[in-house]
Amino acid sequence: MSLAQPEGDLLAEVVEALPWSLDYDETLTGVAEIAVRSLADFCIIDMVDGATLHRVHVAHADPAYADLTRQLKRYSPDRGRPHVSLHALDTRSAVVVPDVRRSILETQCHDAEHRRIVDALGLHSLMAVPLLAGEEVLGVILLASSSRTYRDEDIAYALLLARFASLEIDHARRYRESQRAVAARDRVLQVVAHDLRSPLNVITLTASFMLEQTPPLRDQAAHIARIIGAAERMERLIRDLLDVARIEADRLALQRRVLDPAAVAREAIEGASPLAAGKHQKLQSSLPDADLRVSGDRDRILQVLTNLIDNATKFTPEHGEIEVALRDEGLAVRFTVKDTGPGIPAESLEQLFEPFWRGGNRSIEGAGLGLAIARGIVEAHGGRIWAESAPGVGSTFHFTLPAASRSDPDVG
């Protein structure tokens, strides 16, 4: 590549050459390869580590120098001695050394072995450019040539490369951090789930035994029942947290079969009837006589529908109405749960299905995971879920599931 190219040509060439990968190591390798192919014989990438730099990648245009480059990777810039990369880091600007003199190398090398490696590379000219992401300095690219003499005009291309490399490195870095955070969270959840379930089982079994075997004293039965209820809520929270982790990691397992959606709806309604009756609510259904079939996991679909009906029961006042309906839409079957509750503001509808979102209402029981899990389950089936509402007119939740072939006799 000629450094006399117009900036537009250089821009096109850089954009085309960058790997645009979310893999951090692959990104660094791609940036170094562009540098040694177009601008330098030798390239070092140092990334910020606290107040200094940590060497993460070294590359040379000539494969014969591979062993030397591997050795040089051990020597990160030392704050105890001057270094061109540290100068670029501190000033947040490009630094050019047109002619590398012996005195410069002596001050920047750690020891005799380091100096031997640098001498063997035959460095003639150096240029360091910072990698910037907004106000943050990510690292420094050090470019070296054994024949070319870098001038100020060479900075234009080096800065162009650094600008786009910074964007890609920053994206890859953030993606790597998010992946590590998710992996760490999953490990914590697995440990918490395992370690909490054992004592929870002991609490539940012991309390149940006390309730069944011990003649209840004054208020004793009510206290024991509250202990059992609290333990059951903790168990549900553990299951919900694990479900969210599986959904976000795209590891939610589904046991698919052809189902009768009306049968699933009737089961969900039957389970919610005692709670609705306790609030004097009218829980009704509108289930078509047509032979509808869907393809999915019965337990997971029941989980979604039960969650929606329970929410409707919870938020609908006494003597209110809740309706569960099914509708044939050809390639899909729509499930609908409609209530006469207080409704939901329009600006909150999109956030309803986000994990841990409770609309700022801390008085609501639960961690705000039910609707997020419902969305994950529905989308894993290839369907979609959404809500329609307005304050004062109640809420309607819909979700669809793919219709199954009518020729398949496996109906559950």
Side-chain angles (χ1 to χ4, degrees):
M1 175 185 292
S2 169
L3 294 182
Q5 286 179 279
E7 183 171 331
D9 293 343
L10 294 176
L11 174 61
E13 200 159 342
V14 169
V15 171
E16 183 178 353
L18 281 171
W20 302 107
S21 169
L22 286 177
D23 184 273
Y24 186 74
D25 294 328
E26 183 179 313
T27 298
L28 294 176
T29 299
V31 171
E33 287 178 352
I34 296 172
V36 297
R37 187 168 66 241
S38 60
L39 189 60
D41 297 313
F42 178 65
C43 173
I44 294 175
I45 300 179
D46 294 323
M47 300 303 292
V48 169
D49 183 7
T52 187
L53 292 169
H54 175 66
R55 186 144 297 169
V56 296
H57 198 80
V58 183
H60 200 288
D62 188 345
Y65 288 89
D67 185 57
L68 286 175
T69 57
R70 279 193 296 269
Q71 295 179 54
L72 195 60
K73 193 174 179 181
R74 301 196 304 264
Y75 298 98
S76 296
D78 183 357
R79 276 290 182 187
R81 53 174 51 87
H83 195 284
V84 63
S85 292
L86 289 172
H87 187 48
L89 171 69
D90 294 338
T91 62
R92 302 166 62 92
S93 61
V95 178
V96 176
V97 181
D99 185 10
V100 179
R101 295 182 175 83
R102 185 180 185 87
S103 60
I104 294 177
L105 295 180
E106 287 177 351
T107 59
Q108 300 197 24
C109 290
H110 292 230
D111 50 34
E113 177 62 13
H114 188 191
R115 177 61 192 271
R116 182 194 67 79
I117 297 170
V118 171
D119 285 343
L121 289 170
L123 304 182
H124 171 67
S125 191
L126 298 175
M127 179 165 50
V129 288
L131 295 165
L132 304 173
E135 296 299 316
E136 183 182 6
V137 183
L138 304 179
V140 177
I141 301 178
L142 178 64
L143 305 163
S145 175
S146 53
S147 57
R148 176 186 296 165
T149 299
Y150 290 132
R151 305 294 183 189
D152 289 344
E153 57 267 24
D154 299 334
I155 295 177
Y157 178 71
L159 289 175
L160 190 66
L161 173 62
R163 187 189 314 161
F164 282 91
S166 296
L167 291 173
E168 192 169 2
I169 290 171
D170 188 41
H171 291 158
R173 181 193 61 160
R174 292 179 185 276
Y175 179 75
R176 183 181 65 174
E177 290 172 353
S178 68
Q179 293 297 98
R180 287 177 174 175
V182 168
R185 183 206 60 188
D186 287 351
R187 288 194 296 270
V188 170
L189 284 176
Q190 293 293 341
V191 171
V192 168
H194 179 271
D195 290 354
L196 278 182
R197 274 178 164 158
S198 294
L200 276 177
N201 288 337
V202 172
I203 292 170
T204 303
L205 291 173
T206 303
S208 298
F209 179 80
M210 292 172 61
L211 194 60
E212 294 171 2
Q213 303 297 325
T214 305
L217 302 176
R218 183 178 180 181
D219 295 330
Q220 185 184 53
H223 292 321
I224 294 173
R226 279 196 289 272
I227 292 172
I228 295 173
E232 290 175 346
R233 287 194 297 274
M234 290 180 69
E235 171 64 25
R236 284 197 298 272
L237 177 58
I238 290 172
R239 289 200 305 268
D240 286 350
L241 287 170
L242 292 175
D243 276 347
V244 169
R246 293 187 189 105
I247 288 168
E248 291 185 351
D250 198 23
R251 293 199 304 266
L252 185 68
L254 298 177
Q255 303 297 321
R256 292 179 181 271
R257 58 181 300 191
V258 177
L259 305 170
D260 176 2
V264 179
R266 282 191 290 269
E267 184 176 348
I269 293 168
E270 182 179 348
S273 293
L275 183 59
K279 295 183 68 175
H280 308 288
Q281 294 168 339
K282 183 178 180 181
L283 177 56
Q284 56 191 351
S285 62
S286 176
L287 308 179
D289 295 330
D291 183 19
L292 300 181
R293 298 185 181 193
V294 296
S295 174
D297 185 315
R298 180 184 181 87
D299 290 341
R300 290 298 191 179
I301 297 170
L302 181 61
Q303 180 181 352
V304 173
L305 197 52
T306 298
N307 177 270
L308 296 180
I309 297 174
D310 285 350
N311 281 348
T313 304
K314 182 190 304 182
F315 293 105
T316 299
E318 290 193 358
H319 305 288
E321 297 183 3
I322 300 164
E323 181 182 10
V324 180
L326 293 178
R327 191 170 79 187
D328 184 358
E329 297 191 337
L331 296 178
V333 173
R334 182 190 294 198
F335 295 72
T336 298
V337 177
K338 183 178 181 180
D339 65 54
T340 57
I344 304 165
E347 63 271 16
S348 298
L349 289 177
E350 289 299 320
Q351 297 173 281
L352 282 175
F353 300 96
E354 296 298 322
F356 306 106
W357 191 83
R358 294 188 294 173
N361 190 344
R362 299 300 175 186
S363 65
I364 299 175
E365 290 186 1
L369 296 174
L371 289 177
I373 294 170
R375 179 178 65 178
I377 293 172
V378 170
E379 291 180 351
H381 279 83
R384 68 186 188 98
I385 186 170
W386 70 99
E388 299 170 348
S389 184
V393 298
S395 302
T396 304
F397 284 79
H398 307 274
F399 71 92
T400 61
L401 294 175
S405 170
R406 298 185 181 278
S407 62
D408 195 327
D410 182 18
V411 179

